[in-house]
Amino acid sequence: MEAKVGKFFDSVTNFFSGSDQLPWCDADIIAGCEKEAAGADNGSDESKNECLTRFSWALVHSRRTEDVERGIAMLEASIASTTDPLKMREKLYLLAVGHFRRGDYSRSRELVEQCLMFVYIVGRSFQIWNMAGQLKYRT
């Protein structure tokens, strides 16, 4: 009973202090995403990856520590095979959320900084691509 009262006061304090503005995910949504991910085994790789990303999103936004840990493990296992910079950024962000929920704020901050670096790199790449295209038509 004392633990429930403590959780209640923590959630009220978080609400009024604005310390955690991240969305929460309940067990029903997690179960639905898990079922969807299991059914995606027969689909294309892209479809399967999207389902697994949705499932890991649900896990890292869960209130249950076990779910958050599972989501972190899934993301860390899939990040090595990710080549698309935008998908990499999304996975890094989800990892940051998971570490934040776990209370590892320094690791969460490192991951957010990596996400921001991807935004910078993609933006700079687009600028270079755009400038190269303009110069191509001048010559």
Side-chain angles (χ1 to χ4, degrees), residues 5-7 35 38 42 60 84 86 90-91 127:
V5 171
K7 283 184 181 180
K35 186 176 179 180
N42 299 333
V60 298
D84 180 4
L86 296 176
E90 182 178 15
K91 289 181 181 184
Q127 286 177 332

Side-chain angles (χ1 to χ4, degrees), residues 3-121:
K4 288 185 180 182
V5 171
K7 283 184 181 180
F8 172 74
F9 281 113
D10 285 344
S11 65
V12 170
T13 302
N14 286 342
F15 177 76
F16 286 110
S17 68
S19 63
D20 186 354
Q21 298 294 321
L22 299 171
W24 292 101
C25 195
D26 63 13
D28 293 337
I29 294 173
I30 293 169
C33 290
E34 185 171 20
K35 186 176 179 180
E36 180 186 24
D41 287 339
N42 299 333
S44 68
D45 285 342
E46 185 175 336
S47 173
K48 184 177 178 180
N49 286 333
E50 287 177 16
C51 290
L52 289 174
T53 301
R54 276 193 295 276
F55 183 34
S56 60
W57 184 97
L59 289 170
V60 298
H61 285 87
S62 174
R63 294 183 187 271
R64 296 183 59 224
T65 306
E66 304 84 28
D67 291 339
V68 174
E69 294 293 335
R70 187 174 171 202
I72 289 171
M74 283 177 60
L75 289 162
E76 287 176 343
S78 70
I79 212 160
S81 63
T82 305
T83 56
D84 180 4
L86 296 176
K87 291 182 181 183
M88 176 67 83
R89 185 184 70 190
E90 182 178 15
K91 289 181 181 184
L92 288 171
Y93 168 76
L94 292 175
L95 273 172
V97 170
H99 284 282
F100 181 84
R101 289 287 162 88
R102 188 165 73 174
D104 188 355
Y105 303 118
S106 60
R107 181 67 179 135
S108 178
R109 184 181 174 114
E110 290 171 8
L111 291 162
V112 168
E113 287 172 356
Q114 288 180 25
C115 288
L116 294 174
M117 185 56 75
F118 269 97
V119 171
Y120 175 76
I121 290 169

